[in-house]
Amino acid sequence: MVDYRGIFEDAVDALRQEKRYRVFADIERVAGRFPTAIYRDQSDNQREITIWCSNDYLGMGQHPKVIAAMQETAAKLGVGAGGTRNISGTNRPLVELERSLADLHRKESALVFTSGFVSNEAAIATIARLMPDCIIFSDQLNHASMIQGVRQSGMEKKIFRHNDVAHLRELLMAVERKRPKLIAFESVYSMDGDTAPIKAIADLAEEFGALTYVDEVHAVGMYGARGGGIAEREGLMERIDIIEGTLAKGFGVMGGYIAANRAIVDAVRSYAPEFIFTTALPPALCAAARASIEHLKVSDGERRSHQRQVQLTKQMLAEAGLPVMPSETHIVPLMVGDARLVKAASDLLLSKHNIYIQPINYPTVPRGTERLRITPTPLHTDEMVAALRQALVSVWAELELPRERPQTELSAGDLMLTPAGG
């Protein structure tokens, strides 16, 4: 007889041996007190902690307007969508949400999915499949959802070195100009915090006749005059054909989306099985997301406060001699370079200092670049930043962690397979 249970136990044990077994902290966020939360250990003992690794970058999941929109809509319309849009129709808050997203990115249309992962997978795979003999050019550090979309398409792919425009040009030059092309990349890369050379990529797309697809999930809400992302900040939204984003990070709710011209959006809506056969987002979530988007279109206070706290955090950690990786954005990576030690650092921060920062390991990042990924928000006070610095200095000393950043080159395997996370 086949030992089915043993197969799966062995698979999980292998992760434990590699120090890559993931444990989810039992955390209860407290409305109105973010980033403070309640942590429960395995004995159900509880204590207050401070979260320093949330992707609710602006704390909009706690905003009174967003909470009120969800509560009021649930009270009026109920909590479920009733099924797929094909069967049950589209709830009115979802119609309004898609119009709000199209306006945010100055596109003709938008389409909402249940998550950013699903929107990337569905959109990339469908768009590429609908273009005969399409070839996809994908940045080597694209998110796992984008990689999955490329694979699902079944189309030929070329991986260009991260943010290397010269390498992308070489690859484009080797392909017949009349052949359909899709260039897929991110505006903000979530593990290193760097940004894409959007203008240079758009110039190449125009020169070689390619469609551009940019993942703005770690930028929407946080950058641009109205929160449209890096492309808006750089005045380049009109030069990007398809913009993909999330409702779960800067906007603080849940869901993913694409925005593009009406023909592209209608084609994805009509052909993508991930959209056709999935229950729609509930009306209350749609109303909450729209309230967040509309607020951030006109309010710049959250973005300004966010950037201030990000810069303060980077400055204080660097001055303490901690190995902060240089970052152009709100992502603050603190390098450790060892799977066992980064887990030990995370555990010690939680047990001794009541600070929660999840360790980041392979395959989210290449081996040897394991790190703590810190994400300050406008709601982290100066006192919290000072407490974080003190805790990290203590942990670094107790574990005798290196102060210099590891110098690790990506291997050929990493070049093809490493998906960024989060």
Side-chain angles (χ1 to χ4, degrees):
M1 296 290 290
V2 177
D3 180 10
Y4 292 108
R5 183 185 184 96
I7 290 172
F8 299 109
E9 288 177 343
D10 288 346
V12 173
D13 284 342
L15 293 178
R16 288 195 178 95
Q17 292 296 322
E18 295 177 24
K19 306 301 181 185
R20 294 196 294 119
Y21 180 71
R22 301 184 184 216
V23 177
F24 299 149
D26 184 349
I27 292 174
E28 180 180 332
R29 302 209 308 174
V30 183
R33 297 191 61 204
F34 181 78
T36 298
I38 304 299
Y39 167 72
R40 288 180 174 83
D41 62 23
Q42 293 183 344
S43 300
D44 213 28
N45 298 313
Q46 63 183 62
R47 65 179 189 275
E48 282 193 359
I49 63 168
T50 303
I51 300 173
W52 273 99
C53 57
S54 174
N55 281 347
D56 186 358
Y57 294 131
L58 298 177
M60 291 302 293
Q62 305 281 312
H63 197 284
K65 286 183 182 178
V66 179
I67 293 173
M70 179 174 284
Q71 291 174 333
E72 291 167 8
T73 305
K76 289 186 345 186
L77 303 182
V79 297
T84 68
R85 295 167 75 171
N86 183 53
I87 291 174
S88 300
T90 300
N91 64 74
R92 183 63 189 178
L94 184 44
V95 173
E96 294 170 342
L97 172 59
E98 288 178 338
R99 289 176 179 172
S100 180
L101 288 165
D103 171 75
L104 175 66
H105 294 293
R106 305 302 192 197
K107 300 296 184 186
E108 292 179 349
S109 189
L111 190 66
V112 167
F113 298 79
T114 51
S115 75
F117 193 105
V118 174
S119 57
N120 263 336
E121 180 181 22
I124 292 174
T126 302
I127 290 166
R129 279 199 302 261
L130 289 175
M131 296 190 291
D133 198 30
C134 175
I135 181 169
I136 304 171
F137 298 85
S138 180
D139 188 286
Q140 76 177 76
L141 292 188
N142 277 344
H143 188 266
S145 57
M146 301 179 77
I147 294 172
Q148 185 64 16
V150 172
R151 288 172 176 163
Q152 287 283 95
S153 75
M155 297 293 108
E156 183 182 354
K157 67 177 183 295
K158 297 290 183 182
I159 311 298
F160 61 93
R161 289 187 292 271
H162 179 52
N163 281 348
D164 190 331
V165 179
H167 187 216
L168 176 57
R169 169 179 281 279
E170 290 176 16
L171 295 174
L172 286 164
M173 289 180 66
V175 176
E176 185 182 359
R177 286 181 175 262
K178 292 182 179 180
R179 188 174 178 184
K181 307 171 191 70
L182 179 68
I183 303 174
F185 61 103
E186 300 183 43
S187 64
V188 174
Y189 290 86
S190 64
M191 290 300 120
D192 292 351
D194 58 337
T195 60
I198 298 178
K199 182 181 183 301
I201 292 175
D203 289 344
L204 284 179
E206 184 176 323
E207 179 181 351
F208 290 94
L211 283 179
T212 48
Y213 181 107
V214 64
D215 175 320
E216 288 256 36
V217 298
H218 293 278
V220 288
M222 278 107 47
Y223 300 95
R226 301 196 311 154
I230 299 295
E232 183 191 29
R233 187 189 72 179
E234 303 299 321
L236 296 168
M237 280 199 301
E238 76 283 355
R239 300 193 64 193
I240 300 299
D241 297 296
I242 306 107
I243 294 176
E244 186 268 348
T246 184
L247 305 171
K249 293 182 172 64
F251 297 127
V253 189
M254 178 184 176
Y257 66 88
I258 60 167
N261 68 46
R262 191 166 288 108
I264 290 174
V265 170
D266 198 25
V268 174
R269 181 189 69 86
S270 301
Y271 280 91
E274 297 90 343
F275 174 82
I276 295 169
F277 299 106
T278 300
T279 297
L281 281 187
L285 282 176
C286 296
R290 180 172 179 267
S292 182
I293 293 164
E294 292 302 316
H295 175 81
L296 289 172
K297 282 180 182 177
V298 297
S299 174
D300 197 43
E302 290 82 3
R303 285 186 283 275
R304 285 187 283 104
S305 295
H306 184 219
Q307 287 303 312
R308 179 190 180 278
Q309 296 312 99
V310 167
Q311 294 309 315
L312 177 64
T313 304
K314 290 178 179 178
Q315 177 185 337
M316 292 187 75
L317 299 189
E319 288 175 351
L322 294 162
V324 181
M325 185 173 178
S327 162
E328 309 164 41
T329 60
H330 57 283
I331 310 296
V332 185
L334 198 59
M335 299 301 290
V336 176
D338 181 275
R340 180 184 60 82
L341 289 175
V342 76
K343 177 66 166 59
S346 175
D347 290 345
L348 195 54
L349 283 167
L350 185 58
S351 64
K352 197 169 183 178
H353 302 278
N354 294 322
I355 287 174
Y356 176 61
I357 308 175
Q358 180 73 0
I360 305 296
N361 290 316
Y362 176 85
T364 304
V365 294
R367 298 180 196 276
T369 67
E370 292 83 1
R371 66 197 68 179
L372 297 175
R373 176 182 176 271
I374 299 167
T375 52
T377 73
L379 302 178
H380 285 94
T381 65
D382 292 5
E383 292 75 21
M384 289 177 178
V385 177
L388 173 68
R389 176 185 61 182
Q390 183 177 349
L392 288 168
V393 168
S394 173
V395 167
W396 247 249
E398 184 168 341
L399 296 178
E400 298 182 345
L401 297 177
R403 294 283 180 140
E404 67 280 357
R405 291 190 293 112
Q407 300 297 316
T408 303
E409 296 291 332
L410 287 175
S411 68
D414 287 328
L415 179 68
M416 297 297 295
L417 299 174
T418 296

